[in-house]
Amino acid sequence: MKVLVIGANGKVARHFADFIKEDPSIEERAMIRSAEQVSFFEERGIETVLLDLVNNSVAELAEAMKDVDAMIFSAGAGGSGLDKTVLIDLDGAIKAMTAAEQAGVNRFVMVSTFRTGREAMAQKQDLQIYTIAKNYADEWLKNRTKLDWTIVHPGILVDEPGTNQIKVGMGQEINKIPRQDVAQALVSVLHNDNTIKQEFEVLAGNTAVEEAISKL
């Protein structure tokens, strides 16, 4: 399976790259914005493509998806301003979905925020625009595409070493999760077709990642 990762230089996606270099069933194509980021992926034998979600067109994104089997959208503005949040987390996500459909890439895995929906949009004052952007990107994916989607809602992301122990589901009390465990969950999502047309929260827990994902 060849997977295009959008936002490949992010912290979660870098852990994903480390996992899949040991996984013979998954081959990554990393979409990055800067030539300075290439070396990390070259060292891991991962192909790269230089594109920008904001400045490149849907057609250019679709061209990068040729011969790809699946997509992971792990891009985000990262607190760089309201305009970038809308352009990347909302419009950029929809551009990626549109390009995937044009390129015939049916499998689309979205890394979202922990909780979306109208109640979350009203409560998260400091992250309100971000939550709104993520919410409507998720809704577009579910209701306005024909893609085989999965939406992953991580808890509070931390840079602690992964434990390979998580819990999954919806409506959980927010807690932390190492970025490394989120990345491992993304690998498991690609291995398990039972995750298609499912969304779930993922937090630190007591169940091995593969077991937790396979039982969704």
Side-chain angles (χ1 to χ4, degrees), residues 180-211:
Q180 191 172 31
D181 286 335
V182 177
Q184 191 168 3
L186 295 176
V187 175
S188 293
V189 164
L190 295 175
H191 285 163
N192 288 276
D193 286 347
N194 65 300
T195 61
I196 292 174
K197 300 294 174 72
Q198 289 215 56
E199 61 181 312
F200 60 90
E201 297 158 2
V202 56
L203 302 162
N206 300 308
T207 305
V209 171
E210 185 69 20
E211 179 183 355

Side-chain angles (χ1 to χ4, degrees), residues 17-82:
D18 283 331
F19 280 121
I20 62 94
K21 73 178 181 180
E22 307 295 338
D23 189 329
S25 67
I26 299 176
E27 179 183 354
E28 179 178 353
R29 177 179 293 158
M31 183 174 139
I32 54 178
R33 292 188 298 123
S34 168
E36 296 174 355
Q37 300 166 356
V38 169
S39 61
F40 173 87
F41 299 96
E42 282 187 341
E43 290 168 2
R44 290 155 177 79
I46 293 172
E47 177 189 2
T48 57
V49 57
L50 289 173
L51 286 173
D52 187 305
L53 267 177
V54 175
N55 296 314
N56 287 105
S57 67
V58 169
E60 289 168 322
L61 294 175
E63 180 67 22
M65 297 175 193
K66 279 188 173 180
D67 72 1
V68 163
D69 304 299
M71 294 260 322
I72 293 177
F73 188 91
S74 189
S80 57
L82 298 184

